[in-house]
Amino acid sequence: QVQLVESGGGLVQPGGSLRLSCAASGSIFSIDYMGWYRQAPGKQREFVADITSGGSTSYADSVKGRFTISRDNAKNTVYLQMNSLKPEDTAVYYCRTRGRQRLGARFDAWGQGTQVTVSS
């Protein structure tokens, strides 16, 4: 079993910043993918950013230049630094990790979600 615990969401004014964290724990041998997704009310879940074990990153066009994803492999933790936040960034943010468990089985786990609200 692999568990993900997210933190860092909240209410922020337009133009403000937040930093999300997601820590993975459990029977983990290796993690090769970590990413962030979000779901706004009435909309489908969408990709935000991801990072591979080698450090390669990719971003949705809507967040390029404003959001930065990073990871601490020693802590099995992924971060999302969000700057210049806009009201349209309001959503529940989910982290996702893929990798291999100690007994060899692969896993694809999602966090429980953390609410980000951008409003004045």
Side-chain angles (χ1 to χ4, degrees):
Q1 287 277 0
V2 176
Q3 298 83 36
L4 303 181
V5 177
E6 300 159 354
S7 60
L11 173 65
V12 63
Q13 292 186 341
S17 298
L18 282 175
R19 188 190 193 214
L20 305 183
S21 300
C22 174
S25 63
S27 179
I28 298 171
F29 176 75
S30 62
I31 296 177
D32 49 39
Y33 173 91
M34 305 186 90
W36 289 95
Y37 295 73
R38 66 186 182 187
Q39 187 166 17
K43 295 187 177 181
Q44 290 188 332
R45 190 173 299 187
E46 65 176 7
F47 167 78
V48 175
D50 63 19
I51 183 167
T52 67
S53 57
S56 297
T57 59
S58 59
Y59 297 91
D61 288 342
S62 59
V63 307
K64 279 182 182 176
R66 300 188 298 122
F67 291 10
T68 302
I69 189 170
S70 61
R71 63 189 283 175
D72 184 333
N73 291 330
K75 296 181 179 180
N76 288 335
T77 299
V78 62
Y79 306 95
L80 185 68
Q81 177 66 43
M82 305 185 294
N83 299 327
S84 301
L85 282 161
K86 305 175 181 179
E88 50 264 43
D89 293 318
T90 295
V92 177
Y93 283 70
Y94 299 89
C95 67
R96 181 183 188 185
T97 68
R98 293 198 300 257
R100 191 173 297 280
Q101 297 184 59
R102 291 198 184 100
L103 295 181
R106 290 199 58 82
F107 67 87
D108 185 349
W110 290 84
Q112 80 285 359
T114 185
Q115 177 70 46
V116 172
T117 302
V118 184
S119 175
S120 55

